[in-house]
Amino acid sequence: MSKIDIGINETDRQAIADGLKRLLADSYTLYLQTHNFHWNVTGPQFRELHLMFEEHYTELAVAVDDIAERIRTLGVAAPGTYKAFTELSSIAEVEGVPAAKEMVLILTQSHEQVVKTCREVLVLAQQADDESTAALVSDRMRVHEKTAWMLRAMAE
């Protein structure tokens, strides 16, 4: 591949890409969690939660692609294995099938964790004047903050 000259030095591009790798891992783990809960939710709120979880994992499927492509744009290989995601993610996998209310609480916490990861990456992007990454991460943060709010409201 030819030399990358987009106005961000190699050290900053690597640091930003490393942050984006963590965001990708968190997002993919959240995607899997949400898809798992979509398949396995039961109870009086089945239809509502089943459909809502489908909306969420569908949105996340697009998001992980956008994040991975930004990593590639910065000239770094994007992680793409369960092993890599497990090592990079700050979201723990869920054992078994929790009750519907617990699913909502777990997803709330997972979305909030993605917001925290976004904030860390946003600082790196802003320090390097990487507006493209900052915009992507800011947009992701807004989606996850809103989703966490809606899940919290549902849990009350």
Side-chain angles (χ1 to χ4, degrees):
M1 184 180 268
S2 61
K3 185 176 184 298
I4 297 172
D5 185 16
I6 58 173
I8 304 168
N9 69 50
E10 186 175 347
T11 302
D12 287 343
R13 281 190 291 108
Q14 185 65 57
I16 294 163
D18 288 345
L20 286 170
K21 288 179 185 182
R22 293 190 313 276
L23 179 58
L24 178 61
D26 282 356
S27 299
Y28 200 86
T29 304
L30 177 55
Y31 166 84
L32 288 174
Q33 242 181 26
T34 306
H35 215 149
N36 175 29
F37 292 170
H38 165 79
W39 290 327
N40 292 299
V41 68
T42 59
Q45 291 184 296
F46 166 78
R47 180 167 171 71
E48 182 179 2
L49 291 174
H50 182 75
L51 294 173
M52 182 179 67
F53 294 162
E54 183 175 10
E55 290 172 8
H56 292 176
Y57 77 70
T58 300
E59 192 279 332
L60 282 160
V62 174
V64 296
D65 195 53
D66 290 344
I67 297 164
E69 288 176 356
R70 183 63 192 158
I71 294 168
R72 293 299 300 138
T73 300
L74 294 170
V76 177
T81 65
Y82 291 122
K83 181 180 179 184
F85 290 150
T86 299
E87 292 170 358
L88 290 164
S89 183
S90 53
I91 297 174
E93 289 196 40
V94 176
E95 296 291 327
V97 179
K101 186 170 184 162
E102 185 67 17
M103 288 177 178
V104 171
L105 295 174
I106 290 167
L107 289 174
T108 302
Q109 292 168 350
S110 294
H111 280 278
E112 290 173 341
Q113 180 55 54
V114 174
V115 171
K116 293 177 207 172
T117 302
C118 284
R119 290 187 187 289
E120 294 171 6
V121 179
L122 185 60
V123 169
L124 295 170
Q126 290 170 332
Q127 289 172 344
D129 290 327
D130 180 358
E131 187 60 38
S132 296
T133 298
L136 171 67
V137 171
S138 179
D139 288 347
R140 295 305 319 145
M141 194 167 26
R142 188 171 35 260
V143 168
H144 292 288
E145 287 173 341
K146 183 175 182 179
T147 303
W149 159 60
M150 290 183 169
L151 288 165
R152 279 192 305 274
M154 181 170 253
E156 290 180 4

